[in-house]
Amino acid sequence: SSAISSSVLFSEVEDATEVEEEPKADQFETSIYVGNISFDLTDGEISDAFAAYGEVVKVSMPTDRNTGKSRGFAFVKMANAEATAAAIGALNESELGGRTIYVSESLPKDQVADNKKKFNQRNKKEEGAKIYVGNLDFGTTSETLKETFAEYGEVKDCFIPSDYDGNPRGFAFIQMEEESALKAIEELNGIELDGRTIVVNKSLPKGQKAKRRDIKLYVGNLSWGTEEASLRELFEEYGKVVDCYIPTDRETGQHRGFAFVTMDPDDALRAADETDGYELDGRILRVNEAQPKGFSRSYDDSEGYDGGDVYDEPSDESWGSDSY
């Protein structure tokens, strides 16, 4: 009797196990993605909304690991394909918890990553290339830039960043097709525009810097009578001068007592060494490598240096950084 009883019980357990495992083999695995949900919404409220279209098996709401709060989206698993399709069709772009939710079939992670990659590549192709244009005259307008670059292809966008007072910062960004951009960079880098030798190169991602091919020297304590021609002539004794710029006051037009001279690295170092302390037009020059804005120097204003404006163009130290 005992043996028969044990056999029956074992058989019942075996049957029960088989009954429980059968649904797992056929279990519907597709999840539903629910986006733009209110941060105050609960999983119970989401479950109630979806239950109107079939059995809800599971609701998952990812949370921020630091705050513990909802990340603004959820995943819902329904019992079958029919319920899933019905819920997506009825609830997509509907209002829940005071917000318009977006409901769609959840994709596998690898497919999401692949779709994102394809989207970024297509987006990049459509946008083309971004060009950095530096050392601009403050009076140069977007119209002038567009006309200049339009000779090499369609200009999709032109942006001249300005400071808090609305004054241009001395550089710009141009958007063109990749092929047109490369041609424009090759032809326009180093040309003179509105009296300035402009720097044209491919804009780099924000925070990334290109290798500097030339060195910009700061020349301080200039005589008010010193002109660009005489300054350029002095430095040309040591090599080719790529650019020579004497900042002027925007209101008076008077130069501000200092200048910037750009040269090949080797020539620049030799020029700085030999012209620092040189007397020009009755003043003893102060010459060294220009530093990024905000770098402190020891010269006082009486020597012609106004410490807060080392480059006069705040972004020059980035040499083409994409900062907007």
Side-chain angles (χ1 to χ4, degrees):
S1 172
S2 173
I4 294 172
S5 176
S6 297
S7 176
V8 171
L9 289 173
F10 179 77
S11 176
E12 288 175 351
V13 171
E14 190 173 38
D15 290 343
T17 304
E18 289 173 358
V19 169
E20 288 175 1
E21 286 181 348
E22 281 177 5
K24 288 186 178 179
D26 301 325
Q27 189 174 13
F28 185 68
E29 294 295 335
T30 301
S31 293
I32 299 172
Y33 169 80
V34 189
N36 198 41
I37 63 175
S38 167
F39 293 108
D40 298 323
L41 208 63
T42 66
D43 53 2
E45 290 171 315
I46 294 175
S47 180
D48 290 343
F50 280 79
Y53 306 96
E55 181 188 349
V56 177
V57 177
K58 182 181 179 182
V59 175
S60 173
M61 293 179 63
T63 56
D64 186 281
R65 62 181 64 185
N66 296 319
T67 65
K69 293 183 178 180
S70 166
R71 293 170 61 188
F73 61 93
F75 297 99
V76 177
K77 185 175 286 187
M78 306 293 285
N80 52 56
E82 292 74 17
T84 297
I88 292 173
L91 295 175
N92 184 40
E93 296 188 8
S94 66
E95 188 172 306
L96 182 63
R99 300 184 71 169
T100 301
I101 61 172
Y102 298 96
V103 184
S104 62
E105 185 176 316
S106 178
L107 300 174
K109 286 185 177 180
D110 56 346
Q111 191 173 339
V112 171
D114 187 52
N115 287 351
K116 186 176 181 180
K117 184 178 179 181
K118 288 179 180 177
F119 172 79
N120 288 338
Q121 288 175 340
R122 185 175 71 250
N123 214 30
K124 186 176 181 181
K125 188 176 181 181
E126 289 174 356
E127 289 181 357
K130 185 179 289 183
I131 304 169
Y132 166 83
V133 188
N135 199 39
L136 288 177
D137 181 81
F138 291 114
T140 298
T141 64
S142 58
E143 287 72 23
T144 300
L145 284 173
K146 286 178 182 177
E147 288 176 10
T148 303
F149 280 81
E151 294 181 22
Y152 305 96
E154 180 190 356
V155 176
K156 295 178 177 292
D157 187 39
C158 177
F159 173 62
I160 302 178
S162 56
D163 60 24
Y164 291 111
D165 296 321
N167 299 311
R169 295 173 60 191
F171 63 98
F173 296 100
I174 301 286
Q175 196 91 30
M176 302 180 76
E177 292 288 349
E178 184 76 25
E179 189 176 338
S180 300
L182 293 175
K183 189 184 299 183
I185 290 170
E186 183 180 351
E187 297 294 330
L188 297 177
N189 184 41
I191 72 161
E192 187 171 305
L193 182 66
D194 293 337
R196 300 291 297 274
T197 302
I198 61 173
V199 175
V200 182
N201 54 37
K202 200 162 186 179
S203 179
L204 300 174
K206 189 173 183 179
Q208 186 177 336
K209 296 183 179 181
K211 293 181 179 178
R212 291 179 60 177
R213 294 167 293 176
D214 299 311
I215 288 181
K216 178 178 286 188
L217 298 176
Y218 164 81
V219 185
N221 200 37
L222 286 180
S223 165
W224 302 115
T226 298
E227 297 181 352
E228 180 185 323
S230 60
L231 190 63
R232 182 182 287 271
E233 184 180 351
L234 170 63
F235 280 85
E236 282 179 342
E237 293 180 17
Y238 306 97
K240 180 183 177 183
V241 173
V242 177
D243 185 41
C244 179
Y245 169 53
I246 303 179
T248 57
D249 186 281
R250 292 176 183 172
E251 295 182 359
T252 65
Q254 172 67 49
H255 81 62
R256 301 169 62 187
F258 62 96
F260 299 105
V261 176
T262 304
M263 304 178 71
D264 174 83
D266 293 335
D267 296 337
L269 293 175
R270 189 162 67 93
D273 184 52
E274 297 194 22
T275 59
D276 184 41
Y278 181 88
E279 184 177 333
L280 180 66
D281 296 332
R283 301 292 294 271
I284 303 299
L285 301 182
R286 304 289 186 231
V287 183
N288 52 32
E289 186 174 354
Q291 301 295 329
K293 188 173 182 180
F295 185 89
S296 177
R297 293 184 188 272
S298 60
Y299 308 146
D300 59 38
D301 289 343
S302 65
E303 293 179 323
Y305 170 71
D306 92 350
D309 198 358
V310 180
Y311 271 174
D312 203 50
E313 299 116 10
S315 77
D316 258 8
E317 63 270 30
S318 70
W319 282 75
S321 174
D322 185 353
S323 58
Y324 84 96

